[in-house]
Amino acid sequence: MRSFFEAIRNGASGDQLSSIPLPETYRAAIVKRDEVGIFADIQSSKKDPRRSIHVEQVSVPDIAPDEAFIAVMASSINFNTVWTSTFEPIPTFSFLARLGRESKWGARHDLPYHVIGSDAAGVVIRTGSAVRNWKPGDKVVVHCNYVDDQDPSSHDDSMLASNQRIWGFESNFGGLADLALVKANQLMPKPAHLSWEESAVNPLCNSTAYRMLVSRNGADMKQGDVVLVWGATGGLGGYAIQYVLNGGGTPVGVVSSPKKAEILAKMGCAAVIDRSERGYKFWKDSSTADESEWRRFGKDIRSLVGEDPDIVFEHPGRATMGASVFVAKRGGTIVTCAATSGYMIEYDNRHLWMKLKTIKGSHFANYREAYDANRLICKGMVQPVLSAIYPLDESGEAAFQVHQNLHEGKIGVLCLAPEKGMGIDDPELRERVGDQRIELFRNEGA
Ligand code: NAP
């Protein structure tokens, strides 16, 4: 894949890229089917992605008519990288086996290894015969909604498609690699003012936050809404705060350290709760919730913004859902896309029905939502939340950082790009947006 990188760096045309032969193998971050048992009897928090993620050469698959090969310059770690590498809640090989049973092309995915990763920024180097809107040479980012567009159920909101999948999690040939295989309808233009790694960290989390808050398929936020955002400097939260501010709402950001509180203040989020400092104990023990702690949390929110949240942006799950349902305003919405701390949820239903609240499930984003969210990145209206950068060979360490909540925002991974800062094509726009905003999450030395 090095020859593709060199050609791209030297400004090769699409025709020139097309004439470079594809290699037989490529470098990829993988987990292995014969290792799914290595963490048996180990507590979830101690399962270490550094043991299960390997960077090795794997075979280049065949390309289907509706697909494209991408020379991946950079990718990112998502929490689903953590799930895949800890084999929780179930090993992803079962997803690959199910996809493998669907069709001839699906069968390619059912392998004893899983190339992981659900984000990518890079250059199209091959397209299948049915691809119309993209060609070799196009600089792209990849969103992870993997749908069969011949399935009628995918033609209203494609997230409702019966066989909707997340690329690089429920399919193989993902983004943490030098080469990725994607459907053409996963492609979006690369933001010209951003580097490869700044571009790569956005698609999954930015699109998810967009659907949860901005889209009518989510909480449909309006001007003036108070929005409580858990994990407000995390992968999702870092974009959610920006959407609330851009949309004329008032964010209340919850974080767990003074450093994260400082990032929020710099983003313009005036109402910040440091949950570590406040020491909430929403659970008396593993099965008894403590309503008095929900009440204390609600009072803290009111003392900051004078009212209860219209919307709660939920994803920690079991640890926080009871509190989220309790503190939402009468008629408010709790929009949830995850359950990091546990998916068997408990809340007091009286607070839900008597106060006419709604719990809204949300999952990634359809192509339109992802494209609209990416457009905001391209215009410099939403900033990447890249904090640290690792080389592909250290994907395990990068996933470990996210698993242990040692990071802020997103961790970028350099694949073919040998160093950070490459790939900026529109320095004028970058200057207008300002490095200070674009690099606000950047850790010293990253
Ligand atoms: P992340 O970067 O790790 O951020 C999550 C944040 O949540 C952390 O920074 C932490 O912030 C906070 N948090 C973690 N445990 C908590 C707890 N017990 N109580 C309160 N806050 C807690 O992860 P992410 O990328 O934002 O993803 C978050 C979750 O959403 C993951 O489970 C992921 O798999 C899921 N997700 C789902 C979708 C979807 O499409 N359905 C898309 C993206 C992500 P503080 O420590 O600062 O409070």
Side-chain angles (χ1 to χ4, degrees):
M1 292 301 299
R2 276 281 132 208
S3 41
F4 280 104
F5 170 74
E6 292 303 336
I8 291 162
R9 183 158 64 175
N10 294 328
S13 67
D15 286 346
Q16 287 167 328
L17 289 177
S18 301
S19 69
I20 299 174
L22 282 175
E24 283 181 9
T25 63
Y26 67 105
R27 190 176 59 131
I30 59 170
V31 295
K32 299 180 179 184
R33 189 163 57 199
D34 62 9
E35 289 189 354
V36 295
I38 59 173
F39 297 133
D41 304 327
I42 296 179
Q43 210 185 318
S44 285
S45 60
K46 302 259 164 33
K47 296 181 179 176
D48 189 337
R50 293 173 298 189
R51 267 186 76 193
S52 54
I53 295 179
H54 308 274
V55 177
E56 292 182 8
Q57 291 288 319
V58 298
S59 297
V60 172
D62 291 337
I63 184 171
D66 61 347
E67 291 178 342
F69 274 130
I70 309 301
V72 182
M73 297 296 166
S75 180
S76 90
I77 303 296
N78 281 293
F79 214 91
N80 72 9
T81 322
V82 174
W83 299 126
T84 316
S85 61
T86 56
F87 307 113
E88 288 201 341
I90 53 169
T92 46
F93 289 97
S94 57
F95 302 141
L96 303 185
R98 194 177 315 150
L99 175 53
R101 288 192 293 274
E102 262 179 25
S103 67
K104 168 189 146 190
W105 294 114
R108 293 169 302 165
H109 294 254
D110 188 11
L111 293 167
Y113 58 84
H114 186 178
V115 181
I116 58 180
S118 299
D119 273 323
V123 179
V124 176
I125 54 170
R126 291 285 193 281
T127 51
S129 56
V131 174
R132 294 171 298 281
N133 299 334
W134 304 94
K135 57 184 186 324
D138 288 344
K139 295 181 177 176
V140 293
V141 291
V142 179
H143 77 73
C144 63
N145 182 17
Y146 186 92
V147 278
D148 178 354
D149 59 13
Q150 291 177 22
D151 174 355
S153 68
S154 73
H155 280 268
D156 179 7
D157 171 5
S158 62
M159 287 307 298
L160 298 182
S162 53
N163 58 5
Q164 188 279 330
R165 292 182 164 87
I166 297 297
W167 165 72
F169 179 62
E170 295 164 290
S171 77
N172 217 323
F173 318 123
L176 283 166
D178 290 339
L179 181 76
L181 183 65
V182 306
K183 285 184 184 281
N185 63 14
Q186 290 177 252
L187 296 176
M188 310 189 292
K190 173 194 170 288
H193 65 300
L194 298 182
S195 66
W196 292 114
E197 64 279 6
E198 288 165 348
S199 304
V201 297
N202 306 306
L204 190 148
C205 280
N206 180 43
S207 310
T208 305
Y210 181 93
R211 180 176 173 114
M212 287 176 78
L213 286 178
V214 182
S215 168
R216 59 175 178 265
N217 291 316
D220 203 6
M221 193 197 92
K222 60 185 190 310
Q223 293 179 38
D225 278 353
V226 171
V227 183
L228 178 75
V229 179
W230 288 105
T233 59
L236 287 174
Y239 296 101
I241 293 290
Q242 297 186 64
Y243 281 118
V244 179
L245 290 168
N246 283 359
T250 303
V252 181
V254 185
V255 287
S256 64
S257 73
K259 183 183 176 198
K260 291 178 175 182
E262 206 178 301
I263 294 175
L264 275 185
K266 285 187 186 155
M267 290 176 84
C269 176
V272 179
I273 295 177
D274 180 343
R275 66 184 173 100
S276 301
E277 188 244 318
R278 299 298 296 145
Y280 303 116
K281 290 203 165 51
F282 296 138
W283 291 90
K284 288 180 186 159
D285 56 48
S286 62
S287 58
T288 319
D290 187 345
E291 185 170 328
S292 68
E293 284 292 276
W294 299 347
R295 220 169 271 285
R296 183 162 74 90
F297 180 50
K299 271 193 193 151
D300 286 349
I301 297 168
R302 282 186 190 177
S303 75
L304 286 169
V305 292
E307 56 183 318
D308 296 327
D310 299 275
I311 298 170
V312 180
F313 186 88
E314 239 301 327
H315 50 86
R318 181 167 177 81
T320 55
M321 191 65 162
S324 294
V325 170
F326 180 81
V327 300
K329 188 177 282 182
R330 179 180 275 265
T333 300
I334 302 96
V335 61
T336 176
C337 72
T340 313
S341 64
Y343 50 80
M344 294 305 287
I345 299 295
E346 281 181 54
Y347 61 88
D348 186 334
N349 202 28
R350 293 169 298 179
H351 295 299
L352 190 86
W353 96 70
M354 291 296 289
K355 298 206 173 137
L356 302 102
K357 305 179 188 184
T358 302
I359 298 175
K360 176 95 194 167
S362 191
H363 186 40
F364 188 59
N366 61 38
Y367 196 8
R368 179 60 195 262
E369 290 161 340
Y371 214 91
D372 285 350
N374 185 58
R375 182 169 159 260
L376 294 170
I377 301 266
C378 290
K379 284 171 169 258
M381 294 170 73
V382 172
Q383 312 310 327
V385 297
L386 172 70
S387 63
I389 305 161
Y390 285 75
L392 180 63
D393 288 338
E394 291 173 31
S395 297
E397 176 62 37
F400 173 79
Q401 296 286 319
V402 174
H403 187 23
Q404 297 303 317
N405 196 17
L406 299 171
H407 69 303
E408 293 92 36
K410 298 280 311 172
I411 292 187
V413 174
L414 294 176
C415 299
L416 283 172
E419 59 194 52
K420 65 180 179 177
M422 301 178 77
I424 298 169
D425 290 327
D426 189 345
E428 288 81 21
L429 175 57
R430 189 177 182 95
E431 203 175 320
R432 280 204 301 282
V433 179
D435 279 349
Q436 225 181 344
R437 292 171 68 208
I438 295 170
E439 298 178 6
L440 197 142
F441 274 67
R442 203 70 57 88
N443 285 327
E444 218 51 50

